[in-house]
Amino acid sequence: KAGVTQTPRYLIKTRGQQVTLSCSPISGHRSVSWYQQTPGQGLQFLFEYFSETQRNKGNFPGRFSGRQFSNSRSEMNVSTLELGDSALYLCASRMAANTGELFFGEGSRLTVL
Amino acid sequence: AQSVTQLGSHVSVSEGALVLLRCNYSSSVPPYLFWYVQYPNQGLQLLLKYTTGATLVKGINGFEAEFKKSETSFHLTKPSAHMSDAAEYFCAVTPGRNNNDMRFGAGTRLTVKP
């Protein structure tokens, strides 16, 4: 059974640009969550999607957005990038929202110059 | 809201020595507790979890943790460290079964010396 797949694994952007990250969950998993990991703030919850609907949202500005497609694949977008957005963005999937073990992908490492 | 505190951002042990990584939690409802491991440039992998029932939980790679309600702790142990255990370890808590609000600790980086 394939794991959670995140693309791209590494990317470099400049301030002011926007970025889109993709996450394909484990087959059969309908919930996808996104986390930001930085050395200073640790792991912070961004949002969770289930059945194409955002079910829960962390405390991030509106520049951070996401969506989920009918096949459960998810994308997150960050607009008007800032230096502080440099981080490892982790996607995690599970069978259903609100319950069950989270399975993490390897992450997308974003560097903002 | 629930939270976890991991005591010690860095722990160094010798190969073959006991590994003890400390985690204390705060939760207003009976918690579910988790330990995850992260190897360099990889995502998080679940080591073990406590939900209900037996308070001593065994996980993968020889790790175990004990839920102690009176001490609000969920420390991770392994009797004998191996070089391959070097990684970052995260403790996490959710408010019971409704774990759409998983809170992670700051992490503990484990170094294993030969």
Side-chain angles (χ1 to χ4, degrees):
Chain A
K1 198 173 190 181
V4 178
T5 304
Q6 292 187 245
T7 57
R9 290 291 315 280
Y10 302 90
L11 66 166
I12 300 173
K13 294 285 187 178
T14 56
R15 279 184 301 173
Q17 287 187 311
Q18 68 141 18
V19 66
T20 299
L21 308 178
S22 178
C23 173
S24 293
I26 290 172
S27 178
H29 286 192
R30 296 172 61 194
S31 168
V32 173
S33 299
W34 289 90
Y35 288 81
Q36 182 196 65
Q37 185 179 23
T38 60
Q41 300 297 319
L43 277 155
Q44 293 187 286
F45 173 73
L46 280 156
F47 29 66
E48 179 175 22
Y49 285 86
F50 178 77
S51 294
E52 302 177 65
T53 302
Q54 188 180 89
R55 295 303 178 104
N56 198 15
K57 189 177 189 300
N59 189 25
F60 277 82
R63 299 185 299 106
F64 292 81
S65 63
R67 60 178 176 169
Q68 187 180 34
F69 302 94
S70 58
N71 62 357
S72 295
R73 190 177 70 85
S74 176
E75 289 181 348
M76 67 163 283
N77 183 277
V78 187
S79 62
T80 320
L81 284 166
E82 301 176 0
L83 296 179
D85 297 333
S86 295
L88 181 67
Y89 290 89
L90 291 166
C91 168
S93 75
R94 53 185 170 179
M95 295 284 286
N98 298 343
T99 185
E101 176 186 338
L102 287 170
F103 292 83
F104 284 83
E106 294 186 320
S108 292
R109 183 166 295 282
L110 170 65
T111 301
V112 182
L113 303 176
Chain B
Q2 67 282 5
S3 66
V4 291
T5 302
Q6 291 184 239
L7 302 174
S9 58
H10 290 88
V11 170
S12 181
V13 301
S14 298
E15 192 173 20
L18 171 72
V19 175
L20 171 60
L21 305 182
R22 300 177 187 274
C23 172
N24 287 90
Y25 70 90
S26 172
S27 179
S28 57
V29 299
Y32 282 15
L33 293 155
F34 307 79
W35 274 100
Y36 283 86
V37 61
Q38 185 178 33
Y39 298 101
N41 297 315
Q42 293 189 23
L44 277 67
Q45 179 184 7
L46 182 68
L47 273 177
L48 50 79
K49 62 182 177 183
Y50 167 78
T51 55
T52 58
T55 56
L56 181 62
V57 181
K58 295 186 186 297
I60 61 172
N61 301 339
F63 285 94
E64 63 182 37
E66 186 171 10
F67 171 66
K68 291 188 176 180
K69 184 178 177 181
S70 61
E71 298 177 10
T72 61
S73 69
F74 190 58
H75 301 331
L76 181 70
T77 61
K78 182 174 180 178
S80 177
H82 192 271
M83 297 296 290
S84 61
D85 295 327
E88 188 141 22
Y89 292 79
F90 294 91
C91 182
V93 62
T94 65
R97 191 169 182 269
N98 182 13
N99 63 350
N100 66 338
D101 189 11
M102 181 174 281
R103 301 293 177 97
F104 287 86
T108 297
R109 183 166 299 278
L110 176 66
T111 302
V112 182
K113 298 175 291 185

